[in-house]
Amino acid sequence: MFSSFYPDEYLDSAYEIDFEAYYRQGMRGVIFDIDNTLVPHGAPADERAAGLFENLRRLGYQTMLLSNNKEPRVKSFAGQVGTGYLYKAGKPGRRGYFEAMERMGTKRESTLFVGDQLFTDVWGARRSGIRAVLVKPVHPKEEIQIVLKRFPEKIILYFYRRRERRRF
């Protein structure tokens, strides 16, 4: 019923993803959401975020930021971590995901998406045929439109977790 919103993996943080294992599985591109995925909403890149992107480049990944936010926010963050970006991406629409893959030179089967929201990030990635990793929000303070989405997300995640427990 809710499976189109289910992530392929659900973790506490973008910083605990085993990118080396994904690389061995053939992943070559990673698309990230920014706010509450990598840093608190509106925060600049910190050392941890910059280090993550540096490590991904060292591993051989192409990276992109895909955000529904305005260009000044996304461009600034992209400059701080040294990656490309798309702003006002229209997630969960597929256009931004496809454009990000085109810019990275990757295909659906070699691209990973990392975000903190089911209804924009995960659903858009799934609709685009991209593997989706959902992470818990970095910080509890969020804009009201996101707070309102968190309630139905909890219901979907309840069924997701229940399904995952039965699989193992």
Side-chain angles (χ1 to χ4, degrees):
M1 179 168 136
F2 296 123
S3 60
S4 60
F5 297 105
Y6 289 171
D8 294 291
E9 188 172 15
Y10 182 36
L11 299 170
D12 286 336
S13 168
Y15 300 100
E16 70 177 39
I17 297 170
D18 189 347
F19 289 106
E20 289 181 19
Y22 276 121
Y23 195 86
R24 287 191 300 271
Q25 293 171 21
M27 293 295 160
R28 295 299 182 264
V30 186
I31 305 169
F32 287 95
D33 176 52
I34 303 171
D35 290 320
N36 255 347
T37 296
L38 296 168
V39 294
H41 186 80
D46 55 19
E47 287 181 23
R48 191 165 68 156
L52 173 63
F53 281 82
E54 184 178 312
N55 185 52
L56 290 169
R57 282 189 293 277
R58 183 184 56 76
L59 289 171
Y61 278 103
Q62 297 296 315
T63 59
M64 285 289 291
L65 300 175
L66 185 67
S67 176
N68 286 345
N69 217 317
K70 295 176 184 167
E71 187 174 22
R73 164 69 176 140
V74 184
K75 182 179 182 179
S76 172
F77 194 94
Q80 293 165 355
V81 298
T83 193
Y85 67 92
L86 292 166
Y87 65 98
K88 287 191 178 179
K91 295 181 290 182
R94 299 183 309 167
R95 178 191 55 81
Y97 295 87
F98 291 143
E99 187 174 338
M101 285 188 287
E102 185 177 316
R103 288 190 188 183
M104 292 188 302
T106 60
K107 300 194 178 313
R108 295 174 189 188
E109 58 275 2
S110 64
T111 304
L112 183 67
F113 184 86
V114 181
D116 70 300
Q117 293 184 56
L118 287 179
F119 299 122
T120 52
D121 300 327
V122 171
W123 190 35
R126 296 284 311 250
R127 293 177 65 220
S128 303
I130 302 171
R131 186 170 179 87
V133 177
L134 177 69
V135 295
K136 293 180 181 172
V138 171
H139 193 274
K141 186 175 188 282
E142 298 181 295
E143 295 176 337
I144 188 65
Q145 70 271 19
I146 296 170
V147 170
L148 296 174
K149 289 190 250 181
R150 294 295 184 194
F151 295 109
E153 277 187 358
K154 287 179 183 180
I155 295 166
I156 292 169
L157 286 172
Y158 167 80
F159 288 105
Y160 166 77
R161 287 185 189 111
R162 197 168 92 177
R163 183 194 77 168
E164 291 299 297
R165 279 193 297 271
R166 282 186 283 182
R167 289 173 69 188
F168 298 102

